[in-house]
Amino acid sequence: MKCLNIKLLLVSLTTLGWGMAANAQTATVSKDSIKVLQYNKDLAKLNVDLYEEKIKLAESQNDLTGLRSDLQKANEKAAQSATDSKESAAQMSASAGNEAAAKKAKKDSDKAASDNKQAVKLTSKLADKEGVSLNLKKH
């Protein structure tokens, strides 16, 4: 008798399991539920795109900050070079015929021109990054 009860219990559980599996396979999902799932999927994709754009923006802002810092340093360097060149030119004028003074004036003049060129280059690069149009004359 005990064996019969166990067999009956096993048959019942097996039948119940198959019934539940069949029910799960035949259950339908409403169209509204499918639409909600699709909207959530689309929203997730849009959020990924948004965060990718935010990352690009943050990187661009960091680039701009770095360029501004570099430009400030370049402008300070160009201003100092221009001051040095002016002083060397004045010393050269004061000591006409002094070859060392002339060489120093030429060297300082070349350095001032180079530093100014670098500052103009960085100004242009910064303007391009910021989307600003500059009309700089090339000499």
Side-chain angles (χ1 to χ4, degrees):
M1 183 92 138
K2 196 174 187 182
C3 202
L4 183 63
N5 285 340
I6 292 175
K7 286 182 180 180
L8 184 60
L9 180 64
L10 284 173
V11 169
S12 297
L13 287 175
T14 304
T15 306
L16 180 64
W18 285 339
M20 289 175 66
N23 187 31
Q25 290 175 354
T26 60
T28 59
V29 178
S30 72
K31 289 182 181 180
D32 289 339
S33 295
I34 293 172
K35 283 183 181 178
V36 168
L37 291 171
Q38 185 62 45
Y39 290 143
N40 286 338
K41 178 183 171 188
D42 293 343
L43 180 61
K45 286 180 183 178
L46 289 173
N47 278 326
V48 168
D49 293 344
L50 175 64
Y51 284 112
E52 287 174 355
E53 291 300 319
K54 284 183 177 185
I55 289 170
K56 288 179 188 176
L57 176 61
E59 289 170 347
S60 292
Q61 288 173 335
N62 285 343
D63 290 346
L64 284 174
T65 301
L67 278 173
R68 287 183 185 120
S69 176
D70 292 347
L71 178 59
Q72 181 181 357
K73 290 174 187 174
N75 282 335
E76 290 169 359
K77 187 176 178 182
Q80 183 60 48
S81 294
T83 301
D84 293 346
S85 178
K86 184 177 179 181
E87 289 173 0
S88 295
Q91 288 176 358
M92 182 185 71
S93 293
S95 58
N98 184 342
E99 195 172 313
K103 283 184 180 181
K104 183 169 179 4
K106 170 77 169 120
K107 180 181 170 188
D108 288 347
S109 175
D110 290 345
K111 184 166 178 12
S114 174
D115 290 346
N116 186 55
K117 186 176 179 180
Q118 181 64 24
V120 169
K121 185 178 178 180
L122 285 172
T123 300
S124 179
K125 190 173 183 178
L126 180 63
D128 287 345
K129 287 274 187 183
E130 289 179 336
V132 177
S133 176
L134 293 179
N135 294 324
L136 298 175
K137 293 182 180 178
K138 290 189 176 183
H139 291 41

